[in-house]
Amino acid sequence: MSVPRTLEIPPDEWGRPRSGRQVPWLFLGVIAALLAGRFLLAPHLTDPALQTWATIFVAICVQALPFLVFGVALSAAIAAFVPEGFWTRALPRRPAIAVPVAGLAGAVLPGCECASVPVASGLIKRGVTPAAALAFLLSSPAINPVVLVATAVAFPGQPLMVLARFAASLLAAVCVGWLWLRFGKTEWLRNRSHHHGSFLEAMRHDLLHAGGFLIVGGLAAATLNVAVPREWLTALADVPWLSVLVLAGLAVLLSICSEADAFVAASLSAFSPTAKLAFMVVGPMVDLKLIALQAGTFGKAFAVRFVPVTLALAIAASVLVGWILL
């Protein structure tokens, strides 16, 4: 009978985790950078333009952060705890009616942009017609209660702005759903679901992503208000169609979470209410992170058709509703 070999613990280089010796050096580097900034930059912080920039940036982030946290938490709870069969039972069987019902469901069941794509993917896998799932994908981050309350806080004394955002976003979402129902093809839709796991995992993922984009948006808005000459903004704002296109394009580039974009829009005081409305309607439906998520989940063939149509309808709905209400 052979004698069993003695089991030895593999050496450290065999895939065992290395010690975190680099962490203290990284921490010391951050402290050194902060100290250098304290002594090198402090003398220049008295410039009025820089003070204005800091005030705008801090105001946007401080006002938006509570809504961002609450919205992400609520979205993660819905993704983690709503039963899988709820959607098929709640939506009508006729696709043409299911589309507006799914769009209106976004006003009851909130979700941020990051969560809306995997939720829509899951709906399609559970038998919901793709047109209805896509209508919910667009409406949920745009007209949910958290977003509407944040919009009311960002635009105090302007209830028509809240109503306009709700109407334009819902109109665009339903029209996109109906167009997909009429012209969409199954082969354009490759469904690859993204799953974040538990409530805490989903919330941590969405909060890190949305918080980063909020900071980027706040930085861009503050810089735009301070660095760009006022006469340039006035020139853009004086051309109605150009101002709408500029803010729609800015919404695509900034990729701000819908719970926070109203505060950025309100800070762009030189632009018309309709242009601000376009910023808030386009952002939750078409931005860089959403394009990447949609392409990764449903495929490039879907994204190259869905994104331009959604962008065009979001702008058209903003102009129409803005002309009527604002």
Side-chain angles (χ1 to χ4, degrees):
M1 183 177 63
S2 60
V3 179
R5 294 186 302 171
T6 302
L7 296 178
E8 296 182 357
I9 298 177
D12 289 344
E13 59 269 18
W14 284 22
R16 295 174 63 84
R18 298 179 179 180
S19 62
R21 295 177 181 176
Q22 69 275 18
V23 175
W25 291 109
L26 179 61
F27 178 74
L28 291 177
V30 172
I31 295 298
L34 291 175
L35 290 175
R38 167 66 180 82
F39 292 104
L40 296 177
L41 298 180
H44 304 285
L45 295 180
T46 57
D47 184 80
L50 188 56
Q51 290 181 344
T52 302
W53 180 90
T55 300
I56 295 173
F57 171 68
V58 172
I60 290 173
C61 293
V62 169
Q63 282 185 305
L65 190 59
F67 295 98
L68 179 64
V69 173
F70 181 72
V72 168
L74 198 54
S75 171
I78 290 173
F81 302 130
V82 171
E84 292 188 358
F86 170 80
W87 299 101
T88 53
R89 294 193 302 267
L91 294 176
R93 293 187 179 274
R94 292 185 59 184
I97 301 176
V99 168
V101 172
L104 283 171
V108 182
L109 298 173
C112 71
E113 294 91 326
C114 295
S116 65
V117 175
V119 168
S121 172
L123 292 179
I124 296 173
K125 287 182 177 295
R126 293 163 192 161
V128 175
T129 179
L134 295 176
F136 179 82
L137 181 153
L138 297 176
S139 69
S140 176
I143 65 171
N144 69 68
V146 180
V147 170
L148 296 180
V149 171
T151 305
V153 174
F155 293 90
Q158 302 181 52
L160 285 180
M161 182 62 79
V162 181
L163 178 60
R165 179 171 196 176
F166 177 88
S169 300
L170 180 61
L171 176 62
V174 172
C175 287
V176 170
W178 278 337
L179 277 177
W180 182 269
L181 186 62
R182 175 64 180 85
F183 300 105
K185 297 181 180 180
T186 306
E187 56 265 26
W188 294 346
L189 197 63
R190 183 202 70 200
N191 198 354
R192 179 184 298 171
S193 61
H194 292 250
H195 181 62
H196 294 326
S198 67
F199 165 74
L200 292 178
E201 291 174 350
M203 183 175 176
R204 181 170 59 249
H205 174 275
D206 293 341
L207 186 59
L208 288 175
H209 281 69
F213 285 112
L214 168 61
I215 293 174
V216 172
L219 290 171
T223 303
L224 187 65
N225 275 275
V226 174
V228 177
R230 183 61 55 181
E231 55 270 19
W232 291 9
L233 294 179
T234 304
L236 289 175
D238 288 341
V239 183
W241 65 269
L242 184 58
S243 64
V244 170
L245 293 179
V246 167
L247 286 197
L250 191 65
V252 175
L253 295 176
L254 293 184
S255 303
I256 307 171
C257 184
S258 58
E259 283 88 359
D261 60 0
F263 298 95
V264 177
S267 70
L268 303 172
S269 56
F271 289 87
S272 67
T274 299
K276 296 177 184 178
L277 176 63
F279 181 87
M280 294 185 293
V281 172
V282 169
M285 297 186 179
V286 183
D287 63 30
L288 293 181
K289 71 176 184 298
L290 270 176
I291 294 172
L293 283 170
Q294 291 167 3
T297 302
F298 300 118
K300 292 182 180 180
F302 167 84
V304 297
R305 294 170 173 85
F306 185 76
V307 170
V309 171
T310 302
L311 178 61
L313 286 177
I315 295 175
S318 302
V319 172
L320 177 61
V321 173
W323 176 69
I324 296 173
L325 295 179
L326 303 178

